[in-house]
């Protein structure tokens, strides 16, 4: 059941690049789009959460994770302006590599042979996309783009930890609170004016961004990650790259280059690699 919930979440998350590009094309600023994406789920959680969570260390950890996630999504939105969209989408789906590496370095998970192979395949995919950008993309642009998958890798590892004093809803609310705490001051002090919907189409896109590509898949992912192992969650989440590129092709007419197809295939293959061995102990990461 957890695997199906993660798969459904992957499809919901995959609509985020499409909706972001549509809003960017209508003049919305990157920070405004990012704030909408996290503020709407936060408001929904205020009405849906049944009891007030306890402000303990675990809650604060997820607030910090939410703040990192907000920084990552802001970098993602900015990269959609600086780089070719398909490249940004594929670079974002390098997060399994970061999940494996950060799980080994920070969450006491085993670095097995298969995990190393998966990480290497994704690194090759990132290199292919950098080469595809040629001289128009600097390494700084690439590093900014990679902030998003790195932050999402932290989210996967954290939500895969066993529950202590907080359930899925409380963890999700803490993360969303961290999102808003970072994005509100960023938006207020931004050089760009805050973008408000002026048509029904824009309002529909904003609501879809906040609900269909954020709130609903975030809940499904948070719940599914509890039922599935981190490795399985990472593997199933890799389907998101296929969904995202398919939606971009269907609704925006984005064509994939041969480099893009190769990079997508490598990322997808890395996600399907079975992680052998006994799951690493989690005591030191809790």
């Amino acid at each position: 059941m957890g695997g199906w919930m993660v798969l459904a979440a992957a499809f919901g998350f995959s609509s985020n690049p499409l909706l972001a590009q549509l809003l960017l094309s209508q003049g919305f600023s990157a920070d405004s789009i990012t704030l909408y994406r996290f503020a709407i789920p936060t408001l929904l959680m205020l009405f849906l959460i049944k009891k007030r969570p306890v402000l303990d260390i675990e809650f604060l950890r997820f607030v910090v994770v939410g703040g990192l996630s907000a920084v990552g999504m802001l970098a993602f939105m900015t990269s959609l302006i600086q780089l070719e969209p398909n490249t940004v989408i594929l670079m974002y789906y390098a997060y399994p590599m970061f999940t494996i590496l950060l799980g080994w370095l920070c969450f006491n998970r085993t670095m097995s042979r298969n995990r190393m192979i998966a990480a290497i395949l994704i690194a090759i995919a990132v290199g292919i996309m950098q080469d595809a950008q040629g001289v128009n993309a600097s390494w700084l642009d690439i590093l900014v783009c990679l902030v998003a998958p790195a932050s999402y890798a932290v989210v996967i590892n954290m939500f895969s930890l066993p529950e202590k004093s907080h359930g899925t809803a409380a963890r999700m609310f803490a993360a969303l609170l961290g999102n808003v705490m970072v994005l509100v001051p960023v938006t207020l002090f931004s050089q760009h004016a805050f973008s408000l919907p002026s048509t029904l189409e824009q309002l529909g896109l904003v609501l879809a961004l906040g609900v269909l590509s954020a709130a609903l898949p975030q809940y499904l992912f948070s719940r599914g990650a509890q039922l599935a192992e981190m490795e399985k969650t990472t593997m199933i989440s890799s389907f998101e790259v296929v969904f995202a590129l398919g939606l971009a092709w269907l609704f925006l007419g984005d064509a994939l280059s041969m480099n893009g197809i190769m990079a997508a295939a490598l990322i997808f293959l890395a996600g399907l690699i079975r992680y052998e061995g006994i799951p690493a102990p989690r005591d030191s990461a809790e």
Side-chain angles (χ1 to χ4, degrees), residues 149-167:
S151 67
Y152 188 42
V154 176
V155 172
I156 290 179
N157 276 289
M158 284 296 296
F159 274 95
S160 296
L161 293 176
E163 292 181 359
K164 285 188 174 181
S165 57
H166 296 286

Side-chain angles (χ1 to χ4, degrees), residues 143-214:
L143 289 175
V144 170
C145 190
L146 290 175
V147 171
S151 67
Y152 188 42
V154 176
V155 172
I156 290 179
N157 276 289
M158 284 296 296
F159 274 95
S160 296
L161 293 176
E163 292 181 359
K164 285 188 174 181
S165 57
H166 296 286
T168 300
R171 285 178 163 193
M172 182 177 171
F173 178 70
L176 289 169
L177 187 61
N179 299 150
V180 174
M181 289 174 63
V182 169
L183 292 172
V184 167
V186 168
T187 305
L188 288 177
F189 292 101
S190 172
Q191 297 178 351
H192 305 283
F194 184 70
S195 306
L196 292 171
S198 58
T199 65
L200 286 177
E201 179 185 3
Q202 291 179 354
L203 179 60
L205 290 173
V206 168
L207 291 176
L209 181 75
V211 178
L212 299 181
S213 75

Side-chain angles (χ1 to χ4, degrees), residues 96 100 117-119 121-122 238 265-275:
I100 294 167
I117 294 173
L121 288 176
I122 297 171
S238 67
L266 287 172
I267 293 172
F268 185 68
L269 179 61
L272 293 179
I273 290 178
R274 183 176 181 85
Y275 300 130

Side-chain angles (χ1 to χ4, degrees), residues 205-262:
L205 290 173
V206 168
L207 291 176
L209 181 75
V211 178
L212 299 181
S213 75
L216 182 58
Q218 181 63 55
Y219 176 78
L220 291 171
F221 171 81
S222 302
R223 184 59 182 159
Q226 285 293 304
L227 301 175
E229 287 292 327
M230 186 274 289
E231 291 83 358
K232 187 176 181 180
T233 299
T234 304
M235 181 187 73
I236 296 174
S237 295
S238 67
F239 282 86
E240 192 178 335
V241 64
V242 179
F243 297 145
L245 294 174
L247 290 173
W249 171 78
L250 183 63
F251 291 101
L252 298 177
D254 290 350
L256 269 178
S257 64
M258 183 55 66
N259 280 356
I261 294 173
M262 290 173 59

Side-chain angles (χ1 to χ4, degrees), residues 15 19 23 25 33 38 68 71 82 95 102 108-109 131 138 157 160 171 173 195 204 207 261 269 285:
S15 66
L19 295 170
L23 286 169
S25 68
I33 296 172
F38 291 115
L68 291 174
V71 173
Q82 302 295 329
Y95 68 79
L102 291 176
N108 196 31
R109 301 187 188 278
D131 182 64
S138 67
N157 276 289
S160 296
R171 285 178 163 193
F173 178 70
S195 306
L207 291 176
I261 294 173
L269 179 61

Side-chain angles (χ1 to χ4, degrees), residues 102-145:
L102 291 176
W104 173 53
L105 293 172
C106 306
F107 293 88
N108 196 31
R109 301 187 188 278
T110 304
M111 176 57 77
S112 65
R113 179 193 59 191
N114 283 4
R115 291 177 187 177
M116 290 181 64
I117 294 173
I120 291 171
L121 288 176
I122 297 171
I124 293 172
V126 172
I128 289 174
M129 295 315 301
Q130 161 66 6
D131 182 64
Q133 283 295 309
V135 297
N136 295 323
S138 67
W139 278 107
L140 179 59
D141 292 331
I142 300 300
L143 289 175
V144 170
C145 190

